[in-house]
Amino acid sequence: MAEPLRAFRLRGCGSPQKFGVAAGSLRGLLRKGCRLLQLPLPGSRLCLYEDGTELTESYFRALPPQTELVLLGPGETWRGCASDIERFLAAFSSRRGAVVEAARRLLSDERAPRRQKLLADLIHNLSENALAEDKEDDEQWFEGLESRFKNKSSYMRYSCESRIRSYMKEVSGFTSNVHPTARDAYKGIVDLMSDKLKSVKYNGCYFDRREEEAVRLCTTEGWFSCQGPFDREDCPCKHSINPYGNRESRILFSTWNLDHIIEKKRAVVPELAEAVKTRDGREVNWEYFYQLLFTVDNLKLVHIACHKKTNHNLSCDKTKIYRKRKQNHKIS
């Protein structure tokens, strides 16, 4: 008894054009595909468009109708939908407009939500003007911002400064929660931190692609990568963004978080208050707390989807809370 026919979407390697082909077996689909695309049957094979998995007869029977397949001729290879992106990037340097147009053609015929997003993001990124720095070179990027910002880096520095200032405000606002006998000492440390932040312009260079410190948070030309969740080395979703590219990316970047690995509210600030209260003649290592609160030693840039809202269950290093006082040795 013949197998019932099932329809599939078939394309050749390196071609965006798709064809509807129906068959009841892998051999039958392969034969029809070779006739359609004018490929020799010996040495040809079928694989999944999504990840390049080569089909067997049993695997073919398990596929749902309308699965997208790639027909490979002798010597051809397919590594999944990433192969399309590789072809785009290979042509990018000299044929940027052609790459965008090719991506748009693919997008117009694409039904899979994930690949739709991938293509839409590619078109979006290739249409960016990330290298432009001054307002007159990319006026659209500055829409909605105050007129005082004349270049992109100045606004990005201001944005980072605003975040760091808000952290300083939280630390200062915690004073009322400190034990009365330790409040003056706590205020003294807050003043030291504030003076240091002012001296480095509130670390605004973190988001400034032109400053050396920014290299610790981003790659070249203003690309920023998500560095969470914190129990893994890298973001599993590989989130990245270039806020210098266009207005939409700038606005979206404002939703990313500069998140404290050792949490500011739950761990760092309460530990500082406790250290001041129980110092018993010891000197609080305020610079250690400063690093945890205001620097990339403890701050990681995180896409909102990777921002853990639960307790990180991390605490300050007890060996760094106090430091030895400098002793003045008398010469006899």
Side-chain angles (χ1 to χ4, degrees), residues 15 40 90 115 155-156 193 219 258 279 285 300 307 320:
S15 172
R115 293 201 294 271
Y155 173 75
M156 295 302 290
M193 290 181 174
T219 57
L258 259 182
R279 65 189 187 279
N285 186 7
K300 300 300 178 185
H307 185 188
K320 297 181 179 180

Side-chain angles (χ1 to χ4, degrees), residues 1 46 63 74 82 104 132 189-190 245 269 271 275:
M1 182 176 177
L46 287 162
L63 292 176
R104 284 176 176 153
I189 289 177
V190 169
V269 177
E271 187 70 63

Side-chain angles (χ1 to χ4, degrees), residues 46-56 59 69 78-80:
L46 287 162
C47 67
L48 292 180
Y49 171 82
E50 187 73 40
D51 58 12
T53 301
E54 190 168 332
L55 301 190
T56 62
Y59 193 9
L69 305 173
W78 185 259
R79 299 193 302 107

Side-chain angles (χ1 to χ4, degrees), residues 11 44 51 101 122 176 241:
R11 56 184 286 183
S44 293
D51 58 12
E101 182 57 32
L122 178 65
S176 60
I241 192 171

Side-chain angles (χ1 to χ4, degrees), residues 179-314:
H179 192 276
T181 60
R183 282 178 188 167
D184 287 343
Y186 183 87
K187 289 178 181 178
I189 289 177
V190 169
D191 289 340
L192 290 172
M193 290 181 174
S194 180
D195 289 342
K196 184 166 184 175
L197 280 176
K198 290 175 182 177
S199 71
V200 294
K201 299 180 181 179
Y202 289 88
N203 291 330
C205 60
Y206 284 2
F207 290 162
D208 186 344
R209 57 183 167 183
R210 299 178 305 172
E211 298 289 342
E212 181 179 354
E213 182 72 20
V215 176
R216 300 181 66 181
L217 279 181
C218 66
T219 57
T220 59
E221 301 304 339
W223 279 97
F224 291 83
S225 298
C226 177
Q227 299 183 9
F230 304 129
D231 56 350
R232 305 182 186 182
E233 292 184 3
D234 297 299
C235 162
C237 299
K238 305 299 180 185
H239 292 119
S240 62
I241 192 171
N242 189 342
Y244 298 90
N246 52 44
R247 179 174 178 270
E248 291 75 16
S249 294
R250 168 178 64 77
I251 294 172
L252 180 61
F253 188 61
S254 67
T255 68
W256 285 45
N257 293 290
L258 259 182
D259 200 13
H260 291 83
I261 302 175
I262 302 174
E263 294 173 278
K264 175 178 77 273
K265 291 182 179 180
R266 290 192 177 107
V268 182
V269 177
E271 187 70 63
L272 173 60
E274 182 64 20
V276 174
K277 173 187 171 185
T278 60
R279 65 189 187 279
D280 191 24
R282 294 171 292 182
E283 183 179 356
V284 176
N285 186 7
W286 68 268
E287 290 178 324
Y288 169 63
F289 289 98
Y290 174 92
Q291 290 174 341
L292 295 182
L293 290 166
F294 307 115
T295 77
V296 291
D297 288 350
N298 191 47
L299 280 168
K300 300 300 178 185
L301 193 60
V302 187
H303 186 280
I304 190 171
C306 294
H307 185 188
K308 285 190 174 183
K309 302 296 183 181
T310 57
N311 195 324
H312 295 174
N313 294 316
L314 297 172

